Amino acid sequence: MSDLNALMDDLKRRMDGALESLRRDFSGLRSGRASPALLEPVRVEAYGGEVPLTQVGSIAVPEARMITVQVWDRALAGAVERAIRDAGLGLNPAGEGQTIRVPIPQLTEERRNELAKAAARYAEGAKVAVRGVRRDGMDKAKGFEKKGEISQDDIKTWSDAIQKLTDQYVKKIDDMLGEKDKEIKQV
C-alpha cells in the first residue's frame, strides 16, 4: 500500500502543477480589471537583450482600471512603452517621465468572446496534462502488476483511486474555467 501512497503523492504533485500552470495562464487573460499579472509576460528590449518588465520597473495598480509602471532607468521608459503596446494585449500606455500609465479599456463583446475561448483552450490544455499524468500513473500500476508486486485485485483498487483523483482535478479545472468565464463575461 505504501507504493500506492507514493504513486498517488507523485500524481497529485504533478496534477497540482497543471492547475498552477492554468492559474498563471488565466491571470494573463484580461477581464476588464487591472492586475499586475497582466503585464508579467511583457518583455522589454533593454541592456542588449530582452528582459521581463519586472526587471526594469515596478508594477502597481492604483485604480481598478489603471496599471502604472515605475521605470527605474529613465532611458528605458520609451522601450517599456513600446513593449507594452506591442505585446498584443490591446493596451495603449502613456508615458509621463519615468511613470507609465496603462489604462485598461472596457472589453467589447467580441473581445470577451475571444478571451472566453482562450480560457477554454487553456483549460482543455490543463485537462490534457492531467489525463497524461493519469496515463503515467496507470502505466506505473500495470508495471507493478507485471513484476508481480501487486495482485489483479490491487490493480483494480489502484486504477480506481487514480481515476477518482483524475476526476477531482478535472472538476477543479472546470470550476476554475467557470469562474474565469463569469469574470470575463461580467460587464
Side-chain angles (χ1 to χ4, degrees), residues 1 3-4 7 138 141-142 144-145 148-162:
M1 236 14 203
D3 287 338
L4 173 61
L7 177 63
M138 295 290 200
K142 287 177 184 154
F144 282 126
E145 182 192 23
E149 294 179 22
I150 62 172
S151 68
Q152 284 187 334
D153 290 342
D154 286 343
I155 190 77
K156 175 78 173 113
T157 305
W158 283 35
S159 52
D160 287 349
I162 292 169

Side-chain angles (χ1 to χ4, degrees), residues 57-70:
S58 55
I59 303 170
V61 180
E63 305 167 25
R65 304 187 63 76
M66 176 75 67
I67 299 175
T68 59
V69 180
Q70 186 68 41

Side-chain angles (χ1 to χ4, degrees), residues 44-63:
V44 180
E45 194 68 41
Y47 309 120
E50 281 199 346
V51 297
L53 178 61
T54 53
Q55 289 185 8
V56 296
S58 55
I59 303 170
V61 180
E63 305 167 25

Side-chain angles (χ1 to χ4, degrees), residues 9 12 16 27 37 47-48 50 52 63 67 85 115 135 137 153 156 158 170 181 187:
D9 287 346
K12 275 183 190 168
D16 281 337
S27 73
Y47 309 120
E50 281 199 346
E63 305 167 25
I67 299 175
R85 192 172 294 115
L115 290 173
R135 187 183 52 245
D153 290 342
K156 175 78 173 113
W158 283 35
V170 167
D181 215 31
V187 178

